[in-house]
Amino acid sequence: MDVTRLFNVLFTSFSTLFMFDSSQTELVKVEIDLQKIQYKVSDEFLSVGLESEGAVKLLPDSSPKLLALTRGLSPAYLRIGGTSADFLIFDNTRTDREVYPFRRNDVLDVDDIFDDDVLFESRAFANKKKVHKNYTMTGDCFDAIYKFSKQSGYKMLFDLNVLLRKGANWDPTNAKMLFDHVQARGYDIDWQLGNEPDLFQEPYILTGKQIEPNAFKHALNRTVSAAQLGLDFVTLRQILSSYSKYRQSLLVGPDITRPDKTRPVEYLLEFLETAKDSIDVVTWHHYYSNGRTAVVDNFTDPHLLDRLEKDIATVQDIVSKHAPQKKKWLGETSSMYGGGAKDLSDRYVAGFMWLDKLGLMAKSGYDVVIRWSLLRGNYGLIDKNLNPNPDYWLSFVYKQFVGPQVLQVNATVFTDSNGKHQRLRVYAHCTHPKSRYPRGAVTIFVLNLYTSAATFSVPRVLNRSAIHEYLMTPGPGGLSSEYVKMNGQVLQMLDEQTFPTLNPKIYPPGKIQTMPSRTFGFYVFPGANARACL
């Protein structure tokens, strides 16, 4: 097809971008509707989470640097939850000094805490010992965590222990002690109950000391049926309604695992039959694959990335039929499960999964996506030395330029010799209203999964606007680099509390852009004057 004729297509209310791989002449026609928004996500769309036990150990002793880094991703939710949420006992009758030996003499061994979190599963597998046990969160500790959340500009989402039970039913006694404590202090909190309940009885699968790829991590040898969990949520909603501060709090759940198997799908269905009138948000978790077996090419595999769309469709079918008025959140997500993939989930290459997921979830009508996790594990946004990993910088840039208004994008692949799975992906939003750019500006973000460079040309509808490019490429080491560059400069903190300035490369209107192979970037059109964004 003649490229010149393509670029002279008559534009109506749609603006069109043409993208093609420069060496293979792959060509994609992309249409963006600038007249109306497709969906508006929450201001806290990109949010973060942290294991409850990790929050107990780390946040009360947080440094100014950690506070600055978390503030850099605000506004957001801070989800305190995960597997350890179902072993948390709240006790405001004891002091931190009594309960937390790792804080004695005001010495906190961060290395031990991080190593324990990353390795506890592998040690447990090797020794075949029970992993989980109850632990205490004091009132002072909760206060410190809440203070950290508020100082960061976050809302708190707190996951209650569903394994505190009296017979078949959830025992709310400990939760009421917490509610009394937080209402007396006027804390604004939204709530969950339990974490991945569909996996409570899944066994570990061991061959000697080897972990089979399909092993699950909970092995709690407990059962909470979906119908019973629904009744537990009804109880929780009734209790929250008795507290003036929490009558309007969000109650979200059931936080099932990825709906690619029969059990989580059936669990969600049965849960909604009982709890649909008690919850405000339907939540589920997503990871692409097993972190223990992942390889670098998995992170740029469009076939693997496309599986997320099937999971979204599965949940949408259930929610539209059984709870059509409820909002949807991705309540926990990252690249690979099992703590992430070592030397991959915390490297540049993980950004392809993260950025594509953000684009896809927003256009699918999800209000919030909670990244697991803020720190700890191979998929942490921040490493144990409190330095940002590449996905932190990707999240930071996203927060600067991508607004909540989602624009409709349609892409047509003309010649793709690599098959049906699209390797050049583009998403479009109105530019964030708090950015340096004027109202009406448009931001697109593009992922080039091709192994060669790709170029795109700005259509005539946007030709009146200059192009501000924020291209993110890997540092030394290629796709497995610990560093990410922005327009050729490594992104790093200037000091413990000062972020680098994000300077664009500015191109004249109509300039054809080139993206190197396997890179991603953000492109702002300050003069777009898009009706949807005014």
Side-chain angles (χ1 to χ4, degrees), residues 34-49:
L34 299 180
Q35 301 302 305
K36 62 182 184 298
I37 63 171
Q38 181 183 16
Y39 189 80
K40 185 177 181 180
V41 302
S42 167
D43 289 339
E44 294 81 25
F45 173 72
L46 195 168
S47 289
V48 298

Side-chain angles (χ1 to χ4, degrees), residues 63-134:
S63 68
K65 182 177 182 180
L66 179 58
L67 183 60
L69 289 173
T70 54
R71 191 180 288 132
L73 300 183
S74 68
Y77 270 97
L78 176 62
R79 177 192 180 227
I80 305 297
T83 304
S84 64
D86 288 319
F87 298 89
L88 185 151
I89 308 297
F90 177 75
D91 187 349
N92 61 356
T93 67
R94 303 172 68 190
T95 67
D96 286 7
R97 288 281 180 174
E98 293 177 278
V99 176
Y100 306 129
F102 48 83
R103 291 203 179 96
R104 290 175 186 163
N105 301 318
D106 296 321
V107 175
L108 180 66
D109 191 333
V110 175
D111 282 341
D112 282 349
I113 291 173
F114 270 85
D115 290 344
D116 179 69
D117 183 67
V118 173
L119 300 176
F120 80 97
E121 289 184 28
S122 61
R123 286 203 298 265
F125 283 131
N127 299 324
K128 301 184 182 180
K129 294 179 180 178
K130 180 180 178 181
V131 177
H132 306 291
K133 61 181 181 181
N134 289 341

Side-chain angles (χ1 to χ4, degrees), residues 1-238:
M1 181 177 294
D2 181 65
V3 175
T4 302
R5 283 194 298 113
L6 269 176
F7 285 168
N8 289 327
V9 169
L10 178 63
F11 300 108
T12 57
S13 65
F14 281 89
S15 64
T16 308
L17 297 172
F18 300 99
M19 303 185 177
F20 59 96
D21 179 275
S22 58
S23 65
Q24 301 176 11
T25 64
E26 312 291 1
L27 181 63
V28 180
K29 174 183 176 183
V30 181
E31 296 176 327
I32 305 175
D33 187 349
L34 299 180
Q35 301 302 305
K36 62 182 184 298
I37 63 171
Q38 181 183 16
Y39 189 80
K40 185 177 181 180
V41 302
S42 167
D43 289 339
E44 294 81 25
F45 173 72
L46 195 168
S47 289
V48 298
L50 183 62
E51 278 282 347
S52 301
E53 191 169 13
V56 168
K57 292 179 176 180
L58 289 170
L59 296 190
D61 298 282
S62 60
S63 68
K65 182 177 182 180
L66 179 58
L67 183 60
L69 289 173
T70 54
R71 191 180 288 132
L73 300 183
S74 68
Y77 270 97
L78 176 62
R79 177 192 180 227
I80 305 297
T83 304
S84 64
D86 288 319
F87 298 89
L88 185 151
I89 308 297
F90 177 75
D91 187 349
N92 61 356
T93 67
R94 303 172 68 190
T95 67
D96 286 7
R97 288 281 180 174
E98 293 177 278
V99 176
Y100 306 129
F102 48 83
R103 291 203 179 96
R104 290 175 186 163
N105 301 318
D106 296 321
V107 175
L108 180 66
D109 191 333
V110 175
D111 282 341
D112 282 349
I113 291 173
F114 270 85
D115 290 344
D116 179 69
D117 183 67
V118 173
L119 300 176
F120 80 97
E121 289 184 28
S122 61
R123 286 203 298 265
F125 283 131
N127 299 324
K128 301 184 182 180
K129 294 179 180 178
K130 180 180 178 181
V131 177
H132 306 291
K133 61 181 181 181
N134 289 341
Y135 62 97
T136 299
M137 177 183 284
T138 68
D140 289 343
C141 181
F142 190 100
D143 294 343
I145 293 170
Y146 185 82
K147 179 181 179 181
F148 177 87
S149 177
K150 293 298 287 185
Q151 288 178 331
S152 299
Y154 288 13
K155 296 179 179 179
M156 179 181 282
L157 177 65
F158 194 83
D159 196 354
L160 299 164
N161 185 345
V162 78
L163 294 182
L164 293 173
R165 309 196 70 78
K166 184 180 294 184
N169 301 313
W170 175 59
D171 182 356
T173 305
N174 194 249
K176 289 179 180 179
M177 181 186 294
L178 174 59
F179 297 154
D180 290 342
H181 179 87
V182 295
Q183 174 162 277
R185 287 157 176 76
Y187 294 165
D188 294 310
I189 304 173
D190 293 319
W191 304 96
Q192 297 177 284
L193 179 61
N195 180 77
E196 299 182 351
D198 54 308
L199 287 191
F200 282 170
Q201 268 202 316
E202 289 288 354
Y204 289 121
I205 302 174
L206 299 171
T207 304
K209 294 185 179 181
Q210 298 299 311
I211 307 166
E212 294 296 328
N214 61 342
F216 294 99
K217 68 178 182 180
H218 297 330
L220 306 183
N221 197 27
R222 300 288 297 272
T223 299
V224 179
S225 71
Q228 180 58 55
L229 184 68
L231 293 174
D232 297 338
F233 269 73
V234 171
T235 298
L236 175 55
R237 171 55 76 192
Q238 292 171 345

Side-chain angles (χ1 to χ4, degrees), residues 17 157 315 378 381 388 430:
L17 297 172
L157 177 65
V315 173
N378 293 311
L381 293 176
C430 297

Side-chain angles (χ1 to χ4, degrees), residues 38-41 45 284 306 308-317 319 326-330 356-369 398 404 406-409 427-429:
Q38 181 183 16
Y39 189 80
K40 185 177 181 180
V41 302
F45 173 72
W284 55 286
D306 284 347
L308 176 56
E309 287 193 88
K310 297 179 181 178
D311 298 334
I312 292 171
T314 298
V315 173
Q316 179 58 34
D317 182 60
V319 174
K326 303 302 179 181
K327 294 183 177 181
K328 303 179 295 295
W329 292 7
L330 204 53
D356 192 57
K357 181 172 289 183
L358 290 171
L360 187 56
M361 300 313 296
K363 82 170 191 177
S364 299
Y366 276 68
D367 270 13
V368 172
V369 172
Y398 184 99
V406 185
L407 301 177
Q408 183 177 350
V409 178
Y427 301 95
H429 288 234

